[in-house]
Amino acid sequence: MTQPLKGITVLEFSQYLAGPYAGLRLADLGARVIKIERPGSGDACRNLATKDLWVDGDSLLFHTINRNKESFCADLKNPGDLAAVRQLIRQADVMTHNFRPGVMEKIGLDYTSVQAINPRIIYGEVSGYGNEGPWVHKPGQDLLAQAVSGLGWLSGNRDQGPVPLGLAIADMLCGTHLAQGVLAALVRRQRATKYSGNYSVNKGAEGIEAGNTGAKVQVSLLESMIDFQFEGLTTYLNNGQQSPSRSEIANAHTFLGAPYGIYQTKDHWIAISMGPLGPLAEALACPALNRNDIDKEAFSQRDTIKATLAEHLRTQSTDYWMQRLNAAAIWASEVVDYDTLLQHPAFKAVAMELQVSRSAQNAHGNEVTVTTTRCPLQINGQRFTSHRAAPVLGADTAHIRQTLLAKQEVAQ
Amino acid sequence: MTQPLKGITVLEFSQYLAGPYAGLRLADLGARVIKIERPGSGDACRNLATKDLWVDGDSLLFHTINRNKESFCADLKNPGDLAAVRQLIRQADVMTHNFRPGVMEKIGLDYTSVQAINPRIIYGEVSGYGNEGPWVHKPGQDLLAQAVSGLGWLSGNRDQGPVPLGLAIADMLCGTHLAQGVLAALVRRQRATKYSGNYSVNKGAEGIEAGNTGAKVQVSLLESMIDFQFEGLTTYLNNGQQSPSRSEIANAHTFLGAPYGIYQTKDHWIAISMGPLGPLAEALACPALNRNDIDKEAFSQRDTIKATLAEHLRTQSTDYWMQRLNAAAIWASEVVDYDTLLQHPAFKAVAMELQVSRSAQNAHGNEVTVTTTRCPLQINGQRFTSHRAAPVLGADTAHIRQTLLAKQEVAQ
C-alpha cells in the first residue's frame, strides 16, 4: 500500500515536542518532513537531554521525536536564506511552527505573508495558551500547562498535593490535535480543488468553496488540556461546580466509585476496573464486601470499601488473585513495569519496537542506530516502519538546494 | 469557512470512549456522525454514569462524548435491520467499531464483507491489545491498559506504588490516533480517486493507486500507550534497560533533573519547570543552591536539591515566589484547580465552554441543556461550536429511514 501522505511535503519550523510530534506522525504516514533549523544549533531539542543521554551529538530525546525527517539549515535573519525558505514554502503543502506570538510576523512568515507565496499551504501554529488573554506570554511548557489546567488534582490520593503526570502530556495531546487539524485541512483542500460530488450521502449539497483553499490550523497546550479533561470539566460545569475529589486510597478516577483503582498484594500490585461489588467480593472471598446493597454505596462509601479491599488484597499474591478474578471474568490486571512489559509476548505481538539508523553518508561519517517505537496505527495491515533516523543538523541542506531550489529562480 | 469534513458520513458502531471520541472530533470538523445503536439500551455508555450524574435519561458522560451526533437504532441480529445497516454502509464514507475480535465477522460486517458493499469505505477498528498475542481477550479497558503499559511508574513519588492517571488516557489517545488514521485514509482516498499531480514537490512520481481506495485503520489502547511513552521507552531501550526511577519528592518527569516539579509554598503550590539552578537560586534567594557547579548535579543529586528547594519554598507564599520568578523570567507557574481555572480570564480568552441542547422535537419532548467543552482546534480562526446535544436513543431512525433508506431498494 502506498502511504497515505506520500508526496506531501511538510516544512517543520517547530521545535521541542508538540509540533515535532505532529511532524513525526505525518512522516510516519508518508509525508516528506523537512525541519528548517537554525545553523549551528538547530531545533533546541537537540541540546535538551533527558537523563544526560546523547547519540551522535544530539540528545536521545531529539532522536526519538525526529526520526524519519530531513534537516535544512537556514538563518531566517539572513535575506538569502530567507529567500530560499520562501522558495521551499512555495512548493510545500504544510508548514508548522511554535514560535511565540509575533515572531513569525517579524520574520515575515506569518500566515498572511505565506499565503501570498502559496495560497494552498496548510499553516499549523502551536501556542501555549492561545493568542490573546493574560497567559499569552506565559512560557508554553508542558509542566506549566499541566499546572494551570487542574490535571494535578485528578491523580494520586487525597492527602497528596497536586500530582503531575510524569510525561509531557500537554505537548503530546497538542501535537495529536495539530496532526488532526492538518489532515482535516488537507481533506478540505483536496475537496475544494477537485470536488465532484463523489460524497454520496449529501451529494452535491455542500457548497465546498473553490480556489484559495489553504488553511491556518491553530492549537494550544491549554486548549488540548481542557479537551483532555472534558469528562471532568463537563461534570464540574453541570454539577454545581464541585471540584473533583480524589479517593483516600487507590485513587484512579475522581468520578468513579469502588473498586476502581490499583491495590497492593502480598507480592506486587493489581488493577481492578469498574464492575459490581457483589461478584467481586465473591471472587475474592471477601465476606466484608458481600452485602446485597453494597453497590448503592460504591461511590458514596468508596474510601471505606477501598480500604477493606486493600487490606484483603494484601493477604495473597497477585497470581493468586488474578486466577480468581479471571475465573470470574472480572475486569482486572496485574500491573507491569517496563522490564516485564518489554519481555512480554503481548508486547512482542504488537511489534512496536523499531530500529532507526543514521547512514554512513551523513556529515559525521559514522553509522549509529537507535531503538525506538513505531507509529501506533496501522492502515490496511501495514505498520509504518521507516528505518531512517533523525537527521544530522543540516544533513539535507545541500541536496535540497541542488534539487528543490536549483529548479526555480530564487525570488527575494 | 465550510467545515473540512462537511458531506462526509460516519457510521459509529463504537461504544464507550475511544471510538466515540474519534467520532466526536470528526463531527466537530463537520462530518455527519450516525451512531448505530442497539434498540432498548444503545451505546453502553448511556448507562455508565460517573458520579451518578444523569441528564434526560442518559449519563452525563454519554452526553459529553456524543454531542453533535445522530442515533439510528438497529438490531444487528435482525435480518431486516441488518439489511438497512448495509444500505447505510453503502452510502457512508467511514465506519468505526470497537467490538472484540471476531464479533463483526460473526455479524458479517467485518472489513472484507463491508468492502464488498462499499469499496470506498474507511473502516476504523479499535481493540484493546491488537488482534493477536496473549492479551487478545483481556478486557480493553483504560485502567487495565494503563496497568500493563508501565505508565503508573512514572507519576507520584518514589515511595508510592504505581500511580495511575485519574482520567481515561488510553481511551483518549487511542481515539485521537483513530481520528488521525481515518483522516489520513480520507486524504489517500481522494488522491487515489482524483490524483492529478497537484502535489508540487514530488509531482507525478507517487504511484498513488487508483480504484479500490477504501482502507482499514486499526488502533489499540496498548499501542497508543506505548507511543505515548516513546520518550521513556526509547530511553529504556538505549540505556541498558534501566527502568525509570521517580524522584523522592516533587517527581514530575523520571528523566529530568532538579528543579522540575511541583512544590508546596506557605499557602499553596507552585510548578517549576526546567532551567539552570544558578539563576533559580538567585531569584529565590536560596544560597544553599547557589553553587557554581550545581547544574552538573541537577540529575544525579536531584532528590537532595529538590528537598532543599522544597524546604525553602515552604517559607513564603506562592504570590511572593511568583513575583520573583517572573521578574527573573524563570519558567514557573502557580498551580490552579478547576475553581480557579474556570473563573480565570485566560480560560475565558480561549472560550472553551460550549452549551449544547436537545431540542423540544426529540422523543422525550423536553428541552435539555448541557454545558461542556468544544473542539480544541481552530481552522481559519473558526472555533467549531455546534450546539447540538447528544441524541436521544434512536432519535434519528425514522428520519434516516425516510431519507437515506427510502431512496434505495433495500437489498438483503
Side-chain angles (χ1 to χ4, degrees), chain B residues 289-310:
Chain B
L289 296 180
N290 210 346
R291 285 181 280 116
N292 271 340
D293 56 349
I294 194 159
D295 276 305
K296 289 186 186 150
E297 302 167 9
F299 189 79
S300 63
Q301 301 299 315
R302 63 180 175 176
D303 289 338
T304 315
I305 295 170
K306 283 180 165 188
T308 305
L309 200 51

PDB file of all heavy atoms in Angstrom, chain B residues 289-310:
ATOM      1  N   LEU B 289      21.591  26.632  47.310  1.00  0.00           N
ATOM      2  CA  LEU B 289      21.650  26.082  45.956  1.00  0.00           C
ATOM      3  C   LEU B 289      22.483  26.949  45.016  1.00  0.00           C
ATOM      4  O   LEU B 289      22.575  26.674  43.829  1.00  0.00           O
ATOM      5  CB  LEU B 289      20.231  25.941  45.388  1.00  0.00           C
ATOM      6  CG  LEU B 289      19.318  24.954  46.118  1.00  0.00           C
ATOM      7  CD1 LEU B 289      17.948  24.920  45.454  1.00  0.00           C
ATOM      8  CD2 LEU B 289      19.927  23.560  46.151  1.00  0.00           C
ATOM      9  N   ASN B 290      23.074  28.002  45.569  1.00  0.00           N
ATOM     10  CA  ASN B 290      23.805  28.921  44.702  1.00  0.00           C
ATOM     11  C   ASN B 290      25.293  28.580  44.673  1.00  0.00           C
ATOM     12  O   ASN B 290      26.126  29.290  45.210  1.00  0.00           O
ATOM     13  CB  ASN B 290      23.567  30.360  45.166  1.00  0.00           C
ATOM     14  CG  ASN B 290      23.641  31.333  43.986  1.00  0.00           C
ATOM     15  OD1 ASN B 290      24.124  30.950  42.924  1.00  0.00           O
ATOM     16  ND2 ASN B 290      23.175  32.550  44.183  1.00  0.00           N
ATOM     17  N   ARG B 291      25.580  27.439  44.050  1.00  0.00           N
ATOM     18  CA  ARG B 291      26.969  26.999  43.895  1.00  0.00           C
ATOM     19  C   ARG B 291      27.279  26.938  42.406  1.00  0.00           C
ATOM     20  O   ARG B 291      26.404  26.622  41.593  1.00  0.00           O
ATOM     21  CB  ARG B 291      27.143  25.604  44.494  1.00  0.00           C
ATOM     22  CG  ARG B 291      27.167  25.595  46.007  1.00  0.00           C
ATOM     23  CD  ARG B 291      27.376  24.186  46.531  1.00  0.00           C
ATOM     24  NE  ARG B 291      26.158  23.372  46.535  1.00  0.00           N
ATOM     25  CZ  ARG B 291      25.987  22.283  45.800  1.00  0.00           C
ATOM     26  NH1 ARG B 291      26.935  21.868  44.986  1.00  0.00           N
ATOM     27  NH2 ARG B 291      24.853  21.589  45.869  1.00  0.00           N
ATOM     28  N   ASN B 292      28.527  27.201  42.071  1.00  0.00           N
ATOM     29  CA  ASN B 292      28.931  27.249  40.659  1.00  0.00           C
ATOM     30  C   ASN B 292      28.661  25.954  39.898  1.00  0.00           C
ATOM     31  O   ASN B 292      28.246  25.968  38.757  1.00  0.00           O
ATOM     32  CB  ASN B 292      30.427  27.554  40.554  1.00  0.00           C
ATOM     33  CG  ASN B 292      30.655  29.052  40.514  1.00  0.00           C
ATOM     34  OD1 ASN B 292      29.732  29.805  40.190  1.00  0.00           O
ATOM     35  ND2 ASN B 292      31.854  29.485  40.847  1.00  0.00           N
ATOM     36  N   ASP B 293      28.940  24.850  40.552  1.00  0.00           N
ATOM     37  CA  ASP B 293      28.929  23.564  39.845  1.00  0.00           C
ATOM     38  C   ASP B 293      27.600  22.819  39.988  1.00  0.00           C
ATOM     39  O   ASP B 293      27.480  21.671  39.581  1.00  0.00           O
ATOM     40  CB  ASP B 293      30.063  22.693  40.385  1.00  0.00           C
ATOM     41  CG  ASP B 293      29.944  22.527  41.904  1.00  0.00           C
ATOM     42  OD1 ASP B 293      29.120  23.261  42.516  1.00  0.00           O
ATOM     43  OD2 ASP B 293      30.667  21.684  42.461  1.00  0.00           O
ATOM     44  N   ILE B 294      26.591  23.477  40.554  1.00  0.00           N
ATOM     45  CA  ILE B 294      25.391  22.725  40.929  1.00  0.00           C
ATOM     46  C   ILE B 294      24.645  22.124  39.734  1.00  0.00           C
ATOM     47  O   ILE B 294      24.039  21.064  39.847  1.00  0.00           O
ATOM     48  CB  ILE B 294      24.453  23.590  41.808  1.00  0.00           C
ATOM     49  CG1 ILE B 294      23.394  22.695  42.457  1.00  0.00           C
ATOM     50  CG2 ILE B 294      23.823  24.719  40.989  1.00  0.00           C
ATOM     51  CD1 ILE B 294      22.754  23.285  43.674  1.00  0.00           C
ATOM     52  N   ASP B 295      24.729  22.764  38.567  1.00  0.00           N
ATOM     53  CA  ASP B 295      23.985  22.222  37.422  1.00  0.00           C
ATOM     54  C   ASP B 295      24.497  20.855  36.976  1.00  0.00           C
ATOM     55  O   ASP B 295      23.758  20.078  36.382  1.00  0.00           O
ATOM     56  CB  ASP B 295      23.981  23.223  36.263  1.00  0.00           C
ATOM     57  CG  ASP B 295      22.864  24.244  36.456  1.00  0.00           C
ATOM     58  OD1 ASP B 295      21.711  23.813  36.614  1.00  0.00           O
ATOM     59  OD2 ASP B 295      23.148  25.453  36.494  1.00  0.00           O
ATOM     60  N   LYS B 296      25.747  20.569  37.293  1.00  0.00           N
ATOM     61  CA  LYS B 296      26.274  19.233  36.967  1.00  0.00           C
ATOM     62  C   LYS B 296      25.595  18.148  37.791  1.00  0.00           C
ATOM     63  O   LYS B 296      25.610  16.983  37.431  1.00  0.00           O
ATOM     64  CB  LYS B 296      27.785  19.189  37.226  1.00  0.00           C
ATOM     65  CG  LYS B 296      28.574  20.005  36.219  1.00  0.00           C
ATOM     66  CD  LYS B 296      30.063  19.816  36.406  1.00  0.00           C
ATOM     67  CE  LYS B 296      30.824  20.765  35.485  1.00  0.00           C
ATOM     68  NZ  LYS B 296      32.108  21.173  36.035  1.00  0.00           N
ATOM     69  N   GLU B 297      25.030  18.566  38.942  1.00  0.00           N
ATOM     70  CA  GLU B 297      24.387  17.597  39.840  1.00  0.00           C
ATOM     71  C   GLU B 297      22.873  17.578  39.692  1.00  0.00           C
ATOM     72  O   GLU B 297      22.184  16.886  40.445  1.00  0.00           O
ATOM     73  CB  GLU B 297      24.743  17.951  41.302  1.00  0.00           C
ATOM     74  CG  GLU B 297      26.223  17.968  41.577  1.00  0.00           C
ATOM     75  CD  GLU B 297      26.527  18.631  42.921  1.00  0.00           C
ATOM     76  OE1 GLU B 297      25.586  18.907  43.692  1.00  0.00           O
ATOM     77  OE2 GLU B 297      27.718  18.873  43.176  1.00  0.00           O
ATOM     78  N   ALA B 298      22.354  18.361  38.740  1.00  0.00           N
ATOM     79  CA  ALA B 298      20.896  18.544  38.645  1.00  0.00           C
ATOM     80  C   ALA B 298      20.159  17.217  38.530  1.00  0.00           C
ATOM     81  O   ALA B 298      19.081  17.036  39.104  1.00  0.00           O
ATOM     82  CB  ALA B 298      20.551  19.450  37.469  1.00  0.00           C
ATOM     83  N   PHE B 299      20.732  16.248  37.799  1.00  0.00           N
ATOM     84  CA  PHE B 299      20.080  14.945  37.694  1.00  0.00           C
ATOM     85  C   PHE B 299      20.550  13.992  38.797  1.00  0.00           C
ATOM     86  O   PHE B 299      19.728  13.412  39.507  1.00  0.00           O
ATOM     87  CB  PHE B 299      20.293  14.319  36.313  1.00  0.00           C
ATOM     88  CG  PHE B 299      19.458  13.080  36.123  1.00  0.00           C
ATOM     89  CD1 PHE B 299      18.105  13.182  35.822  1.00  0.00           C
ATOM     90  CD2 PHE B 299      19.999  11.819  36.294  1.00  0.00           C
ATOM     91  CE1 PHE B 299      17.302  12.046  35.693  1.00  0.00           C
ATOM     92  CE2 PHE B 299      19.210  10.671  36.172  1.00  0.00           C
ATOM     93  CZ  PHE B 299      17.868  10.787  35.865  1.00  0.00           C
ATOM     94  N   SER B 300      21.862  13.864  38.959  1.00  0.00           N
ATOM     95  CA  SER B 300      22.380  12.848  39.900  1.00  0.00           C
ATOM     96  C   SER B 300      22.006  13.159  41.356  1.00  0.00           C
ATOM     97  O   SER B 300      21.812  12.251  42.147  1.00  0.00           O
ATOM     98  CB  SER B 300      23.899  12.722  39.750  1.00  0.00           C
ATOM     99  OG  SER B 300      24.519  13.953  40.093  1.00  0.00           O
ATOM    100  N   GLN B 301      21.911  14.424  41.711  1.00  0.00           N
ATOM    101  CA  GLN B 301      21.585  14.809  43.097  1.00  0.00           C
ATOM    102  C   GLN B 301      20.193  15.443  43.199  1.00  0.00           C
ATOM    103  O   GLN B 301      19.938  16.266  44.076  1.00  0.00           O
ATOM    104  CB  GLN B 301      22.635  15.804  43.620  1.00  0.00           C
ATOM    105  CG  GLN B 301      24.055  15.285  43.608  1.00  0.00           C
ATOM    106  CD  GLN B 301      24.212  14.052  44.476  1.00  0.00           C
ATOM    107  OE1 GLN B 301      23.724  14.003  45.600  1.00  0.00           O
ATOM    108  NE2 GLN B 301      24.868  13.017  43.942  1.00  0.00           N
ATOM    109  N   ARG B 302      19.306  15.039  42.285  1.00  0.00           N
ATOM    110  CA  ARG B 302      18.037  15.771  42.230  1.00  0.00           C
ATOM    111  C   ARG B 302      17.225  15.683  43.521  1.00  0.00           C
ATOM    112  O   ARG B 302      16.543  16.633  43.892  1.00  0.00           O
ATOM    113  CB  ARG B 302      17.194  15.301  41.043  1.00  0.00           C
ATOM    114  CG  ARG B 302      16.785  13.841  41.117  1.00  0.00           C
ATOM    115  CD  ARG B 302      15.958  13.430  39.905  1.00  0.00           C
ATOM    116  NE  ARG B 302      15.702  11.989  39.992  1.00  0.00           N
ATOM    117  CZ  ARG B 302      14.952  11.321  39.157  1.00  0.00           C
ATOM    118  NH1 ARG B 302      14.371  11.937  38.150  1.00  0.00           N
ATOM    119  NH2 ARG B 302      14.768  10.020  39.312  1.00  0.00           N
ATOM    120  N   ASP B 303      17.301  14.544  44.217  1.00  0.00           N
ATOM    121  CA  ASP B 303      16.499  14.407  45.446  1.00  0.00           C
ATOM    122  C   ASP B 303      16.956  15.393  46.520  1.00  0.00           C
ATOM    123  O   ASP B 303      16.139  16.030  47.188  1.00  0.00           O
ATOM    124  CB  ASP B 303      16.582  12.973  45.980  1.00  0.00           C
ATOM    125  CG  ASP B 303      15.814  12.005  45.081  1.00  0.00           C
ATOM    126  OD1 ASP B 303      14.917  12.460  44.340  1.00  0.00           O
ATOM    127  OD2 ASP B 303      16.135  10.802  45.117  1.00  0.00           O
ATOM    128  N   THR B 304      18.270  15.515  46.686  1.00  0.00           N
ATOM    129  CA  THR B 304      18.810  16.458  47.676  1.00  0.00           C
ATOM    130  C   THR B 304      18.475  17.900  47.294  1.00  0.00           C
ATOM    131  O   THR B 304      18.042  18.698  48.130  1.00  0.00           O
ATOM    132  CB  THR B 304      20.352  16.307  47.741  1.00  0.00           C
ATOM    133  OG1 THR B 304      20.669  14.915  47.766  1.00  0.00           O
ATOM    134  CG2 THR B 304      20.919  16.992  48.961  1.00  0.00           C
ATOM    135  N   ILE B 305      18.671  18.204  46.024  1.00  0.00           N
ATOM    136  CA  ILE B 305      18.400  19.576  45.566  1.00  0.00           C
ATOM    137  C   ILE B 305      16.909  19.898  45.708  1.00  0.00           C
ATOM    138  O   ILE B 305      16.532  20.959  46.203  1.00  0.00           O
ATOM    139  CB  ILE B 305      18.865  19.751  44.101  1.00  0.00           C
ATOM    140  CG1 ILE B 305      20.390  19.593  44.009  1.00  0.00           C
ATOM    141  CG2 ILE B 305      18.426  21.110  43.554  1.00  0.00           C
ATOM    142  CD1 ILE B 305      20.936  19.495  42.581  1.00  0.00           C
ATOM    143  N   LYS B 306      16.066  18.957  45.305  1.00  0.00           N
ATOM    144  CA  LYS B 306      14.617  19.182  45.406  1.00  0.00           C
ATOM    145  C   LYS B 306      14.184  19.334  46.871  1.00  0.00           C
ATOM    146  O   LYS B 306      13.307  20.138  47.186  1.00  0.00           O
ATOM    147  CB  LYS B 306      13.845  18.030  44.753  1.00  0.00           C
ATOM    148  CG  LYS B 306      13.831  18.088  43.223  1.00  0.00           C
ATOM    149  CD  LYS B 306      13.038  16.917  42.628  1.00  0.00           C
ATOM    150  CE  LYS B 306      12.699  17.150  41.161  1.00  0.00           C
ATOM    151  NZ  LYS B 306      11.787  16.131  40.620  1.00  0.00           N
ATOM    152  N   ALA B 307      14.807  18.572  47.758  1.00  0.00           N
ATOM    153  CA  ALA B 307      14.459  18.663  49.189  1.00  0.00           C
ATOM    154  C   ALA B 307      14.825  20.043  49.744  1.00  0.00           C
ATOM    155  O   ALA B 307      14.065  20.661  50.496  1.00  0.00           O
ATOM    156  CB  ALA B 307      15.167  17.567  49.974  1.00  0.00           C
ATOM    157  N   THR B 308      15.991  20.532  49.352  1.00  0.00           N
ATOM    158  CA  THR B 308      16.417  21.872  49.779  1.00  0.00           C
ATOM    159  C   THR B 308      15.440  22.927  49.260  1.00  0.00           C
ATOM    160  O   THR B 308      15.007  23.830  49.984  1.00  0.00           O
ATOM    161  CB  THR B 308      17.834  22.169  49.238  1.00  0.00           C
ATOM    162  OG1 THR B 308      18.703  21.126  49.674  1.00  0.00           O
ATOM    163  CG2 THR B 308      18.343  23.514  49.718  1.00  0.00           C
ATOM    164  N   LEU B 309      15.101  22.785  47.995  1.00  0.00           N
ATOM    165  CA  LEU B 309      14.182  23.716  47.348  1.00  0.00           C
ATOM    166  C   LEU B 309      12.806  23.666  48.021  1.00  0.00           C
ATOM    167  O   LEU B 309      12.192  24.707  48.296  1.00  0.00           O
ATOM    168  CB  LEU B 309      14.070  23.307  45.875  1.00  0.00           C
ATOM    169  CG  LEU B 309      13.570  24.302  44.848  1.00  0.00           C
ATOM    170  CD1 LEU B 309      14.306  25.631  44.933  1.00  0.00           C
ATOM    171  CD2 LEU B 309      13.750  23.689  43.445  1.00  0.00           C
ATOM    172  N   ALA B 310      12.333  22.472  48.311  1.00  0.00           N
ATOM    173  CA  ALA B 310      11.013  22.302  48.924  1.00  0.00           C
ATOM    174  C   ALA B 310      10.962  22.986  50.288  1.00  0.00           C
ATOM    175  O   ALA B 310       9.999  23.682  50.620  1.00  0.00           O
ATOM    176  CB  ALA B 310      10.687  20.815  49.055  1.00  0.00           C
TER     177      ALA B 310
END
